[in-house]
Amino acid sequence: MSPSAEEPASGGSVDVAAPRAVARVLVESPLPQLDRLFDYAVPAHLRADVAPGVRVRVPLRSAGRIADAFVVELDTTSDHRGELSDLEDVVSTVPVLAPEVYRLARAVADRAGGSASDVLRLAVPPRQVRVEKAHLAALEEAAGAEPVADEAVEAHAVTGYSADALAGLVPARGRAAVDAVPLLAELPDGTWVGRWAVTAAELATVALAAGDDTIVAVPDHRDEDQVLRALAAVLPPDRVVRLDSRQSNADRYRAVLRARGATPLVLVGNRSVLLAPAERLGLIVVFDDGDPLFSEPLSPYVHARDTALLRQAQQGTALVFLGHTRSTDVQRLVEIGFLAEVRPDPRYQPHVVPTSQQAARDGFAAQARIPSTAWTEARAAVEHGPVLIQVAHPGYSPRLACTECGDTARCLRCNGPLVQRSQGAQPACSWCGALAVGWRCQTCEGTVMKSVGTGASRTADELGKAFPGVRVIVSDGSREIVRVDDEPAIVVATRGAEPIAPGGYRAVLLLDGERMLARESLRVAEDCLRWWANATALAARRAPVVLVGVGGALASALATWQLARYVSGELADRRELRFPPAVRVATVTGTVDTVAQALEALPPEVGREVLGPVEVPDAGVRAIVRFDFARGAEVAQVLRSQVIRAATGRRKAVAGRRGRPLPTLRVRFDDVEPFTD
């Protein structure tokens, strides 16, 4: 391939034997044609400062263009034919890119047909000069001081499981899907956390006692808070590092630099923590991998689960997928023998009561949103402490519709759905926030709206009237409540926003089950099972958990706590239909011509399993490619080459319906969005 105008000034294929300093760098650029290492000569005045992992600036072939880059390797020879361009400058002498992080970024990008620089953008925070200066000063001070031995870490027994079922997994570098104990645990300081957090902390002590690092990845800050509290009970504070997207750039940068030290650490954070530097990594723990927050929304869109699997393979670590239930992806790994199964011993079964499987004493009451059984349990339990009520949607009215025709009321500005966030509030757009002043139905010209469904705020208002004198607490996306006290209260929470109560809730009501299941999605059943199981784990021991409006196999699985068996059935159905995760998929989006050429380049066996192309508004056309896991590397390489070809080709931009230019070609692997309505 002839070099493009944006290609760095080095390339070629013959050896140059003259001894010299050559830096192989990865240019920080979103252009797919720049996703490889390039050789640059290191000038004599920069040789003392250039080392693998440092940030540098390099000239590109375009006149006057300078780009940022990371030094990946140093050598004395190059395959470039001719004279190498010199490095322009060293941005910082601090090596922020660890070798294991670059190898992981390269593997992640190759699996997803993306660019390593996009992965490193997630792994390495922007440079912070003050943090660097403080780091270098601390290193200089430590170099001149007497060495101090690190405080020894005691390995704790992993409670709730049979002897060595989990503790022996870490030194053996084993891999397992671990069912969490569905209860809360009290820490020495009186704080209550999920038993799963205690399990993760105890596993971390086993790895640290052996001198190895541990990475604990959780979906969000609520889970992170529990893990950090559990770790604080068993480890010194200096052995735990928090690293997540909620931190400022300075704090994230400081955490990355700490992780490159010689002291074994526990690194805790959300999906990005799996890209943290950890040279002596001994254990990776991923909690609740089915949570959608583990899906990376930025290119190359790799799920945290896949990042963990790639890192485990590269560094030979122990790997634990911990959760109250499993995703179908983890279940597939169990069924092919890649992961072992570990269950609590002794087994604890929550007291789950599906109302749909009870004989109805009052037909009308049984069909109510809160049937008589749920009312009875809630009234009895609230006298002794808090009661949790899980609902599907936040706000007051999650959906507004035209009274005349019943169509969803939509914003006149952006066509987004209108919602009512509190009683008496003016309806507003859930997308752009515009108030629905002078609203008129686009279908029938009606001017009156009606509420459809009940949100958390409306539920709280209704329960406040039904339970006079009892506190009603609402926890949803707009009101972050992490913990409540053990006084009597009704806690109305949306899924995933449930606070923790000391000792657990005296009763849990799972409402709106039918509405949650009505969502058209490939993962709707396993998502609902995960939401309900996580809420069930917040109940006190043997406290009633009432599942309302859901029957069949899903309700039976929750009632008997045979969650893995249900997920296995879901996976069997996917195999018959050849849907993920039984197979891998790639969505190919772009203009008609570029998508057609990309599909033609696929191997014939893969090309026969293409769904589409179909038109996608303002995105051109999209096709879905299905293929077996064994062909993943081949398909990724072919589609990646087509992305580069489309990016470097000279074509006239094609505009979409709204006048925006369509993407020339975009590829996304393992995306289930096309299977979701």
Side-chain angles (χ1 to χ4, degrees):
M1 181 184 71
S2 59
S4 70
E6 294 297 326
E7 193 172 347
S10 58
S13 58
V14 297
D15 290 335
V16 176
R20 54 182 169 174
V22 176
R24 292 193 177 90
V25 307
L26 179 71
V27 178
E28 293 187 76
S29 171
L31 298 177
Q33 59 268 37
L34 300 185
D35 184 38
R36 59 189 179 92
L37 298 183
F38 296 95
D39 290 357
Y40 283 87
V42 181
H45 68 283
L46 295 179
R47 291 190 181 183
D49 296 331
V50 175
V54 303
R55 285 185 166 104
V56 294
R57 294 180 63 79
V58 296
L60 300 182
R61 187 174 295 277
S62 298
R65 282 183 56 86
I66 303 295
D68 292 325
F70 290 105
V71 175
V72 176
E73 299 174 358
L74 288 177
D75 205 341
T76 57
T77 61
S78 172
D79 292 335
H80 175 60
R81 180 182 310 181
E83 201 64 32
L84 292 178
S85 296
D86 288 344
L87 290 179
E88 180 72 17
D89 196 9
V90 176
V91 177
S92 168
T93 59
V94 177
V96 292
L97 177 59
E100 67 274 10
V101 174
Y102 171 74
R103 291 195 298 269
L104 179 62
R106 183 71 273 164
V108 166
D110 289 345
R111 188 182 192 279
S115 298
S117 62
D118 286 337
V119 181
L120 293 181
R121 194 174 297 117
L122 305 172
V124 183
R127 184 188 180 211
Q128 305 293 313
V129 177
R130 290 185 179 180
V131 174
E132 276 190 2
K133 289 182 177 179
H135 174 72
L136 293 173
L139 290 180
E140 184 176 352
E141 182 180 350
E146 290 291 331
V148 178
D150 293 327
E151 183 179 349
V153 173
E154 178 186 356
H156 287 248
V158 184
T159 55
Y161 300 85
S162 60
D164 294 333
L166 279 185
L169 188 80
V170 178
R173 296 297 194 263
R175 304 179 297 258
V178 179
D179 293 344
V181 180
L183 286 168
L184 296 178
E186 186 177 13
L187 300 177
D189 63 356
T191 304
W192 289 82
V193 298
R195 280 287 296 274
W196 67 267
V198 175
T199 300
E202 291 170 343
L203 283 169
T205 65
V206 177
L208 258 65
D212 295 326
D213 294 322
T214 298
I215 288 178
V216 180
V218 296
D220 64 14
H221 69 98
R222 296 172 182 267
D223 306 311
E224 186 179 322
D225 174 71
Q226 295 184 63
V227 175
L228 291 174
R229 289 175 182 268
L231 287 168
V234 294
L235 289 176
D238 61 347
R239 290 300 189 97
V240 180
V241 173
R242 173 190 164 205
L243 180 59
D244 63 53
S245 57
R246 288 169 61 92
Q247 294 174 296
S248 65
N249 284 334
D251 287 339
R252 288 185 62 221
Y253 200 59
R254 191 176 293 109
V256 168
L257 295 181
R258 276 195 64 194
R260 294 220 60 187
T263 304
L265 300 171
V266 181
L267 307 171
V268 181
N270 56 9
R271 58 181 179 267
S272 61
V273 77
L274 291 164
L275 298 169
E279 183 180 1
R280 305 163 308 281
L281 187 60
L283 171 66
I284 300 173
V285 179
V286 180
F287 172 69
D288 201 14
D289 74 293
D291 194 299
L293 292 175
F294 274 131
S295 297
E296 178 55 60
L298 301 176
S299 178
Y301 315 106
V302 176
H303 195 280
R305 179 193 317 109
D306 298 321
T307 303
L309 289 167
L310 289 169
R311 187 152 198 180
Q312 187 278 328
Q314 288 187 340
Q315 295 188 252
T317 71
L319 175 62
V320 170
F321 287 106
L322 179 65
H324 297 115
T325 185
R326 299 177 193 163
S327 65
T328 48
D329 305 80
V330 167
Q331 183 62 27
R332 184 189 73 86
L333 296 174
V334 169
E335 294 185 9
I336 65 175
F338 185 82
L339 296 176
E341 290 183 283
V342 178
R343 295 187 171 91
D345 185 17
R347 180 177 181 267
Y348 171 74
Q349 180 174 331
H351 178 42
V352 180
V353 182
T355 60
S356 64
Q357 297 181 358
Q358 292 182 321
R361 291 172 292 181
D362 185 338
F364 291 105
Q367 296 175 13
R369 183 168 181 247
I370 304 181
S372 56
T373 300
W375 277 114
T376 302
E377 297 288 3
R379 285 189 181 279
V382 77
E383 297 180 2
H384 306 286
V387 172
L388 173 65
I389 299 181
Q390 184 194 70
V391 297
H393 299 290
Y396 192 80
S397 295
R399 187 170 82 89
L400 296 174
C402 175
T403 303
E404 297 294 328
C405 66
D407 282 0
T408 298
R410 294 195 171 275
C411 177
L412 300 179
R413 177 188 296 178
C414 70
N415 206 40
L418 299 179
V419 295
Q420 187 178 15
R421 304 193 185 280
S422 61
Q423 186 176 13
Q426 177 72 31
C429 178
S430 62
W431 290 0
C432 69
L435 297 178
V437 179
W439 177 84
R440 188 174 294 273
C441 178
Q442 301 176 29
T443 303
C444 69
E445 297 294 318
T447 58
V448 181
M449 290 179 275
K450 64 179 180 180
S451 298
V452 179
T454 304
S457 298
R458 185 173 180 179
T459 302
D461 288 347
E462 295 173 353
L463 290 173
K465 299 173 183 177
F467 292 89
V470 178
R471 289 182 306 158
V472 179
I473 301 170
V474 178
S475 177
D476 55 21
S478 60
R479 284 161 285 202
E480 290 193 4
I481 299 176
V482 177
R483 299 177 182 276
V484 296
D485 57 36
D486 58 356
E487 295 298 319
I490 299 293
V491 180
V492 182
T494 52
R495 56 204 178 204
E498 302 91 348
I500 292 177
Y505 290 98
R506 283 30 171 200
V508 175
L509 275 58
L510 305 175
L511 306 186
D512 303 336
E514 290 181 324
R515 189 177 304 169
M516 294 182 187
L517 287 168
R519 181 172 57 100
E520 293 293 333
S521 170
L522 192 65
R523 297 184 183 271
V524 62
E526 62 180 285
D527 282 344
C528 289
L529 195 63
R530 183 175 54 80
W531 292 328
W532 299 334
N534 288 345
T536 299
L538 298 176
R541 183 178 290 271
R542 302 306 302 161
V545 178
V546 183
L547 177 63
V548 177
V550 177
L554 196 56
S556 297
L558 196 68
T560 60
W561 210 246
Q562 298 292 330
L563 309 182
R565 183 179 301 174
Y566 181 86
V567 174
S568 179
E570 281 281 300
L571 181 59
D573 293 341
R574 309 269 185 90
R575 287 198 181 99
E576 289 187 15
L577 299 172
R578 286 189 66 77
F579 281 166
V583 296
R584 291 190 67 191
V585 296
T587 54
V588 184
T589 308
T591 62
V592 174
D593 292 340
T594 56
V595 170
Q597 291 179 18
L599 298 180
E600 289 175 3
L602 292 170
E605 299 83 357
V606 177
R608 286 193 288 268
E609 287 213 66
V610 173
L611 305 178
V614 297
E615 186 176 357
V616 181
D618 289 321
V621 298
R622 179 179 65 196
I624 302 173
V625 182
R626 295 189 292 188
F627 52 95
D628 293 326
F629 280 79
R631 309 205 69 155
E634 178 185 10
V635 173
Q637 185 176 13
V638 170
L639 293 180
R640 179 62 173 171
S641 66
Q642 292 301 306
V643 170
I644 295 174
R645 180 197 58 77
T648 55
R650 300 180 181 274
R651 295 180 181 83
K652 183 178 179 180
V654 180
R657 291 180 178 177
R658 299 181 184 178
R660 301 170 183 169
L662 298 178
T664 307
L665 188 67
R666 184 174 67 241
V667 175
R668 180 168 181 175
F669 283 77
D670 306 310
D671 180 22
V672 297
E673 184 272 333
F675 302 96
T676 302
D677 185 5

